[in-house]
């Protein structure tokens, strides 16, 4: 490079490499150096528009600072310093001709935007890559687009895989960002479809997801020829960095050979099991729909109060049942139109009076809903229908109708709709949760067969072993999901059956924590064991292992990258287990229903799960005669407490 535009003084690292890629993507030429003296020499020898230097290197390069100062004063080149606010005073002591600061922590997009503002009017002319964003979640699509705004790339979006494939065939993007879990055609299938198209086979594809990818995700991405699999983090640096590298490489990742399945019998059995479970879910769906329809009929048919309004006399009759609904007596109700209006909720009066006027003047059907004040001070939800009688001149003289108290029916109807919503969420998540390990298993088997075909048995043995291990994990994952569904079905008929024995809870907890270390490492969590004295009780060890394992899994899921604390204590006749995370926490309004079936404290889209874990946990703990509780602060984490009687459940003690 003979005429650099930007000089970056920064330690050689992966971060510097990405900084250079981000700046060069805008058409700027960049020279990156880690030596202050060498930077001063370059300034004297070649024209530079701007210098961006790390504060740490300026502090460490005392010998070259004088030369850098002279070079900056001679060339009148602007100097911006990458620094934390606490480093400002130290930087100013060097008396450099400082133009300004770029405050750390600084994202790649922030660096590009900072340099652009430092070079007004000198916008580099660079081809603008076309980025295709494929994601069914509009919030995620918007977030990805915002990451790319400072880079000024061209961005087109698609809400699902088929639409993304159509856009790619028409526009041929330079890179594709695809959500791994889209409906209809997920990111894996989209990537395979692109690789099979001669025109699009070399387009880089980056798979994204709200959670950090595990080993299986990365292997699946590799199997379909994706260039990377990254988490949609808040700052977007990892995703932007992966995108810049893919643009620089300009081609696909190597595709693992694929082939036909060779384990049809095993997969057939798995699929049949899943079909049976789906059949049970469809039966539950039909039942929920019938229940919803029954509640509709109850709401429409529960009119049990009669009223008659004599417009000439101004009197209003209410039947005893109608008075009883509101806790009134014939003596306490004045029997006038004004008395009825007084009982209406202030927010409903205008609508009811307008409906009466429309019916009396123009014959518009009178069919309204409103709230009436009960004698106790609260309000009852009611529905009313009525019709006016006309005299010989066509003028209304009487109006009669019915009023039904639907407070309870509306409550049940709302609960039914919420149950249907929870069911729909559950069906969607369950289908995804069951399909994901099956797809992974299929890819593993295909990859293993391809390796046998290409490499032969002897050379393919290591890959076959890894593939079998991964396949075993997926089968175990499906087995756990099926076990969860069976448990919930059995729990509806009564508490879980316990196999009681003398169990050392401290030893059990340590064992579960040890088995969870690998999962914690993948989530970036440290499992911290607190005080844990020997605690013996009469319990079901297998069921309590499920309780502890789920609490740890929950903590790692909602607090990735942060420590998870576990402690155990006992006093008198009760043992108490604590599991504390430092994750996203739980909103106060979500805590009450947290342990119900299909309930979640977070959106399904971003965290997944069947919504059954805490329900199973509560039923197991209660079967032991114990209780579970949670204390949580949004943004600070949650603490789950499980209390168990040392003597076991009351029925066992009896």
């Amino acid at each position: 490079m003979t005429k650099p535009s930007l000089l970056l003084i920064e330690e050689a690292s992966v971060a510097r490499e990405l900084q250079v890629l981000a700046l060069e993507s805008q058409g700027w030429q960049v020279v990156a150096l880690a030596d202050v003296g060498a930077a001063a020499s370059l300034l004297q020898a070649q024209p530079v528009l701007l210098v961006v230097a790390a504060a740490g290197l300026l502090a460490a390069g005392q010998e070259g600072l004088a030369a850098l100062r002279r070079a900056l004063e001679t060339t009148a080149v602007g100097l911006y310093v990458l620094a934390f606010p606490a480093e400002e005073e130290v930087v100013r002591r060097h008396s450099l001709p400082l133009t300004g600061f770029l405050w750390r922590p600084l994202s790649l997009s922030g660096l590009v935007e900072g340099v652009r503002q430092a070079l007004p009017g000198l916008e580099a002319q660079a081809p603008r890559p076309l980025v295709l964003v494929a994601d069914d979640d509009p919030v995620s699509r918007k977030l990805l687009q915002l990451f790319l705004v400072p880079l000024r790339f061209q961005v087109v979006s698609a809400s699902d895989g088929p639409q993304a494939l159509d856009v790619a065939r028409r526009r041929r993007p330079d890179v594709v960002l695809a959500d791994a879990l889209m409906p209809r055609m997920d990111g894996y299938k989209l990537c395979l479809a692109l690789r099979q198209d001669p025109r699009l086979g070399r387009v880089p594809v980056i798979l994204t997801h709200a959670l950090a990818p595990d080993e299986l995700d990365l292997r699946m991405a590799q199997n379909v020829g994706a260039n990377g699999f990254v988490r949609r983090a808040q700052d977007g640096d990892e995703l932007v960095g992966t995108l810049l590298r893919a643009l620089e490489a300009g081609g696909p990742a190597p595709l693992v050979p694929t082939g036909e399945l060779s384990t049809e019998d095993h997969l057939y059995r798995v699929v049949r099991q899943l079909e049976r479970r789906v059949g049970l879910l469809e039966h539950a769906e039909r039942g929920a729909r019938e229940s919803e329809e029954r509640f509709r009929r109850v709401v429409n048919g529960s009119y049990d109060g009669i009223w008659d309004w004599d417009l000439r006399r101004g009197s209003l009759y209410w039947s005893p049942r109608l008075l009883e609904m509101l806790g009134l007596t014939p003596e306490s109700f004045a029997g006038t139109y004004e008395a009825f209006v007084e009982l209406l909720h202030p927010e409903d009066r205008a609508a009811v009076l307008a409906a009466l006027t429309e019916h009396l003047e123009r014959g518009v059907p009178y069919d309204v809903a409103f709230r009436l004040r009960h004698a106790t001070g609260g309000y009852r939800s009611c529905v009313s229908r009525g019709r006016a009688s006309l005299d010989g001149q066509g003028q209304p003289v009487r109006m009669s109708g019915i009023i039904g108290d639907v407070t309870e029916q509306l409550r049940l109807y709302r609960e039914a709709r919420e149950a249907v919503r929870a069911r729909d969420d559950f069906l969607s998540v369950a289908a995804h949760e069951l399909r994901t390990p099956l797809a992974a298993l299929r890819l593993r088997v295909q990859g293993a067969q391809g390796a046998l075909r290409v490499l032969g048995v002897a050379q393919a043995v290591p890959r076959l072993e890894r593939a079998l291990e991964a396949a075993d994990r997926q089968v175990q994952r499906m087995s756990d999901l099926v076990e969860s569904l069976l448990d919930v079905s059995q729990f509806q008929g009564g508490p879980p059956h316990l196999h009681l024995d003398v169990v050392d809870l401290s030893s059990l907890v340590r064992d579960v924590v040890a088995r969870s270390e690998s999962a914690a490492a993948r989530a970036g969590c440290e499992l911290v064991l607190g005080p844990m004295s020997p605690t013996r009780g009469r319990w079901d060890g297998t069921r309590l292992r499920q309780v502890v394992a789920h609490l740890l899994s929950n903590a790692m899921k909602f607090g990735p990258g942060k420590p998870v604390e576990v402690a155990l204590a006992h006093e008198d006749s009760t043992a108490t287990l604590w599991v504390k995370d430092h994750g996203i926490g739980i909103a106060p309004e979500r805590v009450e229903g947290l342990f119900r079936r299909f309930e979640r404290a977070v959106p399904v889209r971003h965290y997944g799960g069947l919504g059954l874990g805490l329900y199973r946990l509560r039923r197991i703990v209660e079967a032991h005669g114990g209780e579970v509780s949670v204390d949580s602060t949004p943004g600070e984490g949650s603490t789950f407490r499980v209390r168990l009687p040392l003597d076991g459940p009351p029925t066992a003690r009896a």
Side-chain angles (χ1 to χ4, degrees):
M1 181 184 302
T2 57
K3 293 182 179 180
S5 299
L6 303 176
L7 175 57
L8 178 63
I9 306 175
E10 178 71 282
E11 287 282 3
S13 64
V14 174
R16 190 181 79 175
E17 174 194 349
L18 293 177
Q19 290 172 343
V20 172
L21 286 177
L23 295 171
E24 289 181 342
S25 73
Q26 305 304 297
W28 296 312
Q29 294 176 311
V30 182
V31 168
L33 298 172
D35 184 88
V36 176
S41 300
L42 180 67
L43 273 174
Q44 296 287 2
Q46 299 182 22
V48 173
L49 296 178
L50 184 69
V51 177
V52 179
L57 279 182
L58 295 180
Q62 295 292 337
E63 296 181 0
L65 278 180
L68 179 62
R69 186 182 302 109
R70 289 192 298 271
L72 290 169
E73 292 172 346
T74 302
T75 59
V77 174
L79 170 65
Y80 279 81
V81 177
L82 292 165
F84 291 97
E87 297 175 308
E88 178 179 2
E89 184 178 350
V90 176
V91 172
R92 293 191 183 279
R93 289 176 189 167
H94 299 315
S95 302
L96 293 167
L98 184 65
T99 305
F101 287 92
L102 296 175
W103 298 115
R104 296 185 192 267
L106 187 66
S107 66
L108 295 174
S109 299
L111 174 63
V112 169
E113 189 61 34
V115 171
R116 181 177 288 115
Q117 293 178 7
L119 297 173
L122 295 176
E123 185 71 25
Q125 297 301 318
R128 300 173 62 199
L130 177 62
V131 181
L132 170 58
V133 175
D135 198 310
D136 62 307
D137 183 2
V139 176
S140 297
R141 288 201 303 272
K142 186 65 175 179
L143 181 64
L144 293 174
Q145 292 171 359
L146 290 175
F147 290 158
L148 301 177
V149 165
L151 300 178
R152 301 193 177 180
F153 291 165
Q154 301 179 75
V155 180
V156 293
S157 62
S159 59
D160 58 28
Q163 184 184 10
L165 189 59
D166 179 64
V167 172
R169 287 169 174 165
R170 288 187 287 105
R171 302 285 301 270
R172 198 190 184 282
D174 295 290
V175 65
V176 176
L177 299 177
D179 177 19
L181 301 182
M182 289 183 292
R184 298 177 62 192
M185 177 187 284
D186 60 23
Y188 301 107
K189 294 180 181 178
L190 174 61
C191 185
L192 280 175
L194 293 172
R195 293 289 172 259
Q196 294 167 359
D197 190 315
R199 292 183 58 253
L200 304 173
R202 296 193 59 80
V203 173
V205 178
I206 300 170
L207 300 178
T208 69
H209 188 41
L211 301 179
D214 57 19
E215 177 188 358
L216 178 60
D217 294 324
L218 298 176
R219 288 293 300 164
M220 289 175 63
Q222 181 185 9
N223 286 346
V224 297
N227 294 69
F229 193 133
V230 296
R231 175 175 176 261
R232 294 191 294 270
Q234 194 64 33
D235 58 11
D237 259 13
E238 183 181 1
L239 187 143
V240 172
T242 305
L243 182 146
L244 293 172
R245 286 198 178 99
L247 285 172
E248 183 185 39
L255 182 63
V256 174
T258 59
E260 295 299 324
L261 291 174
S262 60
T263 56
E264 291 85 353
D265 291 340
H266 174 70
L267 289 177
Y268 178 80
R269 288 194 297 270
V270 172
V271 170
R272 292 301 300 166
Q273 289 178 359
L274 295 180
E275 288 177 345
R276 285 195 292 272
R277 301 305 165 206
V278 171
L280 292 174
L281 295 177
E282 291 175 346
H283 178 73
E285 181 180 10
R286 287 194 299 271
R289 286 179 178 170
E290 292 171 359
S291 176
E292 182 179 7
E293 184 60 28
R294 281 196 297 271
F295 284 128
R296 289 181 185 274
R297 290 196 296 269
V298 168
V299 170
N300 293 331
S302 59
Y303 301 109
D304 52 2
I306 299 174
W307 55 272
D308 179 53
W309 180 21
D310 188 332
L311 279 75
R312 291 177 175 176
R313 297 181 180 179
S315 61
L316 179 63
Y317 165 79
W318 274 12
S319 68
R321 176 70 187 102
L322 184 52
L323 293 172
E324 180 186 349
M325 280 168 39
L326 300 176
L328 300 174
T329 63
E331 293 76 22
S332 60
F333 179 64
T336 63
Y337 166 76
E338 290 75 13
F340 162 67
V341 173
E342 181 63 26
L343 292 174
L344 284 170
H345 193 286
E347 296 176 359
D348 300 336
R349 287 175 186 169
V352 173
L353 299 184
L356 283 170
T357 301
E358 289 287 312
H359 179 71
L360 294 173
E361 294 183 358
R362 286 181 285 277
V364 176
Y366 178 74
D367 189 346
V368 293
F370 47 77
R371 288 162 289 180
L372 290 174
R373 188 175 68 245
H374 194 272
T376 58
Y379 283 88
R380 306 293 293 178
S381 296
C382 302
V383 291
S384 180
R385 289 175 179 171
R387 175 175 295 180
S389 300
L390 308 179
D391 62 11
Q393 288 74 40
Q395 296 299 314
V397 291
R398 299 184 75 90
M399 186 174 177
S400 302
I402 51 179
I403 292 179
D405 181 359
V406 295
T407 304
E408 183 64 15
Q409 287 84 353
L410 285 177
R411 183 187 67 81
L412 294 173
Y413 180 66
R414 285 192 293 267
E415 290 181 358
R417 293 193 61 180
E418 181 63 22
V420 171
R421 181 201 61 77
R423 178 215 61 209
D424 290 342
D425 286 348
F426 171 76
L427 289 173
S428 174
V429 174
H432 166 70
E433 293 286 340
L434 293 170
R435 185 174 62 238
T436 298
L438 185 59
L441 182 60
R442 182 184 180 91
L443 286 172
R444 286 291 186 181
V445 174
Q446 289 176 338
Q449 187 175 20
L452 281 172
R453 185 180 297 112
V454 174
L455 303 175
V457 175
Q459 296 182 5
V461 167
R463 289 188 60 177
L464 290 175
E465 290 179 347
R466 292 193 297 270
L468 288 174
E469 290 174 358
D472 182 67
R473 287 198 299 270
Q474 295 311 312
V475 172
Q476 183 59 48
R477 182 176 175 184
M478 286 188 287
S479 176
D480 291 341
L481 290 171
V482 171
E483 183 181 348
S484 296
L485 294 172
L486 288 174
D487 266 352
V488 172
S489 176
Q490 293 171 0
F491 290 177
Q492 294 307 296
H497 181 67
L498 303 179
H499 299 280
L500 301 176
D501 201 352
V502 177
V503 176
D504 185 353
L505 188 55
S506 62
S507 176
L508 183 149
V509 171
R510 288 192 182 93
D511 182 60
V512 175
V513 169
R515 293 174 182 268
S516 303
E517 288 291 348
S518 59
R522 289 195 297 270
C525 296
E526 178 187 3
L527 299 181
V528 181
L529 277 175
M532 199 159 297
S533 58
T535 305
R536 294 181 175 275
R538 187 166 174 76
W539 302 307
D540 185 330
T542 301
R543 287 296 190 180
L544 290 189
R545 284 180 184 276
Q546 294 175 348
V547 169
V548 178
H550 183 75
L551 288 176
L552 293 177
S553 173
N554 235 32
M556 292 183 285
K557 178 178 179 180
F558 298 110
K562 298 179 180 179
V564 176
E565 302 170 29
V566 184
L568 175 66
H570 70 274
E571 57 182 30
D572 298 332
S573 60
T574 303
T576 303
L577 172 68
W578 290 268
V579 176
K580 180 178 182 181
D581 66 70
H582 300 272
I584 61 174
I586 305 168
E589 65 273 15
R590 292 282 190 175
V591 172
E592 182 178 353
L594 192 62
F595 296 94
R596 291 200 293 260
R597 277 189 311 161
F598 311 138
E599 288 289 335
R600 300 174 183 85
V602 292
V604 178
R605 167 70 194 169
H606 299 297
Y607 288 92
L610 298 177
L612 300 175
L614 290 177
Y615 169 74
R616 292 176 68 204
L617 184 151
R618 176 179 65 85
R619 293 301 305 270
I620 292 171
V621 172
E622 289 178 350
H624 281 86
E627 62 180 12
V628 58
S629 61
V630 59
D631 296 321
S632 183
T633 303
E636 296 181 12
S638 306
T639 300
F640 284 82
R641 292 180 177 82
V642 174
R643 297 179 176 85
L644 297 167
L646 298 178
D647 294 336
T651 53
R653 294 197 296 269

